[in-house]
Amino acid sequence: MTTRRTRLLGAVLAVAALALSILPATAATAGENYVPISGAGSSWSSVAISQWAVNVQQYGMKIRYASTGSSDGRNQFKAGTVDFAVSEIPYGIKDGGVTDVPPTVGYAYMPIVAGGTSFMYNLSAGGKRITNLRLSGPVLAGIFTGTITSWDDPKIKADNPGLELPKRRVVPVVRSDGSGSTAQFTTWMSKKYPSEWNAYCKQAGRPLPCGVTSNYPTIPGKGFIAQPNSQGVSGYVAQQANVGTITYVEYSYALKTGYPVAKVLNKAGYYVEPTASNVAVGLLGAKINQDKGSASYLTQILDGVYDNPDPRTYPLSSYSYMIIPTTTDASLTPAKGKTLGAFDYYFLCEGQQQAEVLGYSPLPINLVQAGLDQVRRIPGVEAKSIDIRKCNNPTFSSNGTNTLATRAAQPPACDKLGATQCNTGTGGAKGTTTATQTGAGGSGSSGSGSGSGSATGTKGGSTAGSTAGGGGGSGGTTGTLSGGSGTASGTSGNTVAALNNGSPVQCDADSGVCQNVAALPVSVDPSDAWTPTRTLMVCAVAALLALVLVPPFIGVLVSRRRLRK
């Protein structure tokens, strides 16, 4: 009996060892083996990158990203301490008299997402929150160079004829670290308002001409507040006690915190906010370096964006870039290159579907295709032939035009420079209206009113009620302050106010229905799914177990019966 049990135990162990040798191989093919990778840089882009990193965990990828600012990201990549960097500006730019020297290892730029540098603020008057502030270029330059210091300044009043602005000190909140957001903003100021910018830099002791800088100069006694990264500046403004503050930050942070952004005056004379559609329109004026032999291939020149004559343009629109390795070194191995390439393939295709709900604008088809070509340059990448038509990017069209830009709604009449002013909120405060002296209506580009004293729009706002509380007018027209229960409701099809848990919501442009969006579903590569081959392997292991275990088991039962007899 003991001998039989020993044989049985030996058989079980042998089969178990065989099963363990087969099943791990099966599991390995069920999901790719990826080594963890790390990156650092832009906080402007970090909302999107962080969400994508969560999404790819289902495929076994671990992406660690430190939102330390573009300058630090470029420096870390150059030092070899991270596998990739993200930045809004390239290497080689002269900043404060010092040139940012490129890395000695091979590298390339790859666009990852578009967005608008917004001006998030915290302002109230008479105990009521202001959510429909408008600011022109000269006023923004004045605020961030310290020449406009009070919210009731006549120049700000000229931008906001419908608002009673408080006599309160303007507190600009700027970045304390090297930042791509600062570089984008100061590039705009140096191009559009060089005299004001140079005068400010001179007071700060910077060499002239000041030009672009990643490190915002501050002057003691000017009342500026400096905070690190996008989370720092947006978090400071979002504190309820910090009324009067304003900062420059990517639009997604205003959506996350539930705070409004200023509508900025564009070349056509309209005040617009950085929605995905308005950014897409603005970037039609961008020039992209198409010279594949250039070290700055795919980087951007934004002069045409600043002066884009389209009324829908947001003038401070731009792209963000991932800096990827094109050669191996001590830190980047082919195994890491495989993970980085797979992550890049994901966000260039499926990831762009989420750009709008996260507060960005998806890449147009030409930059997605160029990005896919750049991925093939990463050492160790498992190159794929992706059918770009299946990416479901909202900008793609059959004729190559940017669908998001083509379908972008025209701004309402109340957003035009003049005596009227829309009362609808912006950014993360879209649902909060602000009464205006002119009774200007909501910011919808279309939609009609109905009911008693109210009007609703299906594409972004409605008018205020009439003085008699009767039916509302069409979206974007004006009413009076003494109107009945008129409200400005409706959506523009863009992300609106964050929910209590901070998650963004997406609103359908046609139905006006909004829903929470944490992550959109993505398709799994068939090579990573369970296949018939794997099923056959498992069945073979089960059959082998039965073949080895069943006969000894039957023999034991027969022996026991004989002993009983």
Side-chain angles (χ1 to χ4, degrees):
M1 180 66 85
T2 303
T3 304
R4 289 177 178 173
R5 288 180 178 177
T6 302
R7 290 175 181 174
L8 179 60
L9 180 60
V12 171
L13 291 174
V15 173
L18 179 61
L20 289 173
S21 66
I22 296 175
L23 288 177
T26 304
T29 57
E32 293 284 352
N33 291 321
Y34 293 110
V35 300
I37 59 172
S38 63
S42 169
S43 58
W44 190 91
S45 308
S46 68
V47 172
I49 296 170
S50 298
Q51 182 61 59
W52 294 334
V54 170
N55 293 353
V56 298
Q57 287 179 8
Q58 62 183 309
Y59 306 129
M61 288 182 243
K62 292 183 179 179
I63 314 296
R64 294 189 294 265
Y65 182 74
S67 174
T68 56
S70 294
S71 295
D72 182 71
R74 294 195 307 277
N75 288 335
Q76 286 204 53
F77 182 82
K78 187 170 17 180
T81 56
V82 293
D83 304 310
F84 67 90
V86 180
S87 176
E88 282 70 65
I89 56 174
Y91 288 106
I93 290 179
K94 195 171 185 179
D95 185 348
V98 179
T99 300
D100 184 15
V101 180
T104 55
V105 298
Y107 69 96
Y109 301 106
M110 184 178 68
I112 60 172
V113 74
T117 298
S118 69
F119 297 91
M120 175 180 155
Y121 64 93
N122 182 342
L123 188 62
S124 59
K128 294 184 178 180
R129 192 179 185 191
I130 293 175
T131 62
N132 59 338
L133 187 71
R134 312 192 310 189
L135 297 174
S136 59
V139 168
L140 283 169
I143 287 174
F144 285 94
T145 57
T147 59
I148 294 178
T149 58
S150 180
W151 283 108
D152 65 348
D153 187 285
K155 293 179 181 178
I156 301 180
K157 285 185 175 182
D159 282 333
N160 299 275
L163 294 180
E164 280 288 350
L165 294 165
K167 187 175 181 60
R168 178 182 286 274
R169 185 167 67 92
V170 176
V171 181
V173 182
V174 300
R175 292 283 291 271
S176 62
D177 56 332
S179 155
S181 301
T182 297
Q184 295 288 23
F185 181 36
T186 59
T187 298
W188 174 78
M189 281 203 289
S190 67
K191 295 287 184 71
K192 298 297 296 177
Y193 307 100
S195 59
E196 293 90 336
W197 181 231
N198 283 328
Y200 177 80
C201 286
K202 184 177 181 180
Q203 293 180 57
R206 293 287 185 94
L208 301 182
C210 198
V212 59
T213 179
S214 298
N215 297 279
Y216 205 97
T218 54
I219 303 170
K222 282 283 188 180
F224 284 40
I225 300 293
Q227 295 289 312
N229 62 51
S230 297
Q231 295 90 331
V233 293
S234 61
Y236 189 90
V237 172
Q239 294 180 38
Q240 292 186 358
N242 291 338
V243 180
T245 53
I246 182 170
T247 191
Y248 55 91
V249 71
E250 212 286 324
Y251 188 54
S252 59
Y253 288 91
L255 298 181
K256 284 184 66 178
T257 57
Y259 273 76
V261 299
K263 290 185 176 181
V264 177
L265 186 66
N266 63 23
K267 183 74 172 179
Y270 283 88
Y271 295 90
V272 297
E273 67 176 298
T275 61
S277 297
N278 292 340
V279 167
V281 171
L283 288 172
L284 294 177
K287 289 184 178 180
I288 305 298
N289 185 329
Q290 300 289 351
D291 181 5
K292 291 187 177 181
S294 169
S296 299
Y297 174 55
L298 295 183
T299 58
Q300 59 197 335
I301 300 173
L302 300 173
D303 298 53
V305 178
Y306 305 152
D307 293 320
N308 189 329
D310 193 304
R312 303 167 296 173
T313 291
Y314 185 74
L316 279 92
S317 302
S318 58
Y319 295 109
S320 186
Y321 295 86
M322 179 176 283
I323 302 172
I324 57 174
T326 57
T327 57
T328 55
D329 57 20
S331 61
L332 183 86
T333 62
K336 286 186 175 182
K338 175 185 174 181
T339 304
L340 179 58
F343 180 52
D344 292 349
Y345 277 131
Y346 170 80
F347 70 66
L348 283 170
C349 189
E350 290 99 329
Q352 296 298 312
Q353 298 174 24
Q354 289 182 280
E356 186 171 358
V357 299
L358 294 172
Y360 299 87
S361 186
L363 295 175
I365 191 168
N366 63 315
L367 291 186
V368 171
Q369 186 60 65
L372 292 173
D373 292 340
Q374 292 287 68
V375 175
R376 291 177 173 268
R377 301 177 64 186
I378 300 173
V381 66
E382 291 188 348
K384 297 181 180 181
S385 295
I386 291 180
D387 185 351
I388 202 169
R389 296 170 299 177
K390 296 181 180 179
C391 289
N392 295 321
N393 185 312
T395 70
F396 292 1
S397 67
S398 58
N399 60 6
T401 58
N402 188 319
T403 300
L404 197 61
T406 302
R407 295 179 179 176
Q410 293 292 331
C414 56
D415 271 335
K416 186 173 177 59
L417 177 66
T420 61
Q421 183 168 0
C422 298
N423 62 6
T424 48
T426 59
K430 285 186 184 294
T432 305
T433 60
T434 302
T436 57
Q437 291 176 318
T438 55
S443 59
S445 61
S446 64
S448 59
S450 62
S452 175
S454 65
T456 59
T458 59
K459 285 198 175 181
S462 62
T463 66
S466 67
T467 52
S474 61
T477 60
T478 60
T480 64
L481 278 179
S482 58
S485 59
T487 59
S489 63
T491 65
S492 62
N494 301 310
T495 308
V496 296
L499 299 180
N500 291 334
N501 63 1
S503 300
V505 296
Q506 169 71 28
C507 296
D508 184 82
D510 298 318
S511 67
V513 175
C514 299
Q515 60 181 353
N516 176 34
V517 179
L520 298 183
V522 295
S523 59
V524 180
D525 192 322
S527 63
D528 294 335
W530 191 267
T531 63
T533 302
R534 293 166 187 167
T535 302
L536 289 174
M537 292 177 69
V538 173
C539 291
V541 171
L544 186 59
L545 283 169
L547 183 63
V548 175
L549 297 178
V550 171
F553 180 72
I554 294 174
V556 170
L557 292 178
V558 171
S559 297
R560 286 180 177 177
R561 287 181 180 178
R562 287 176 178 174
L563 290 173
R564 288 174 184 173
K565 292 179 180 180

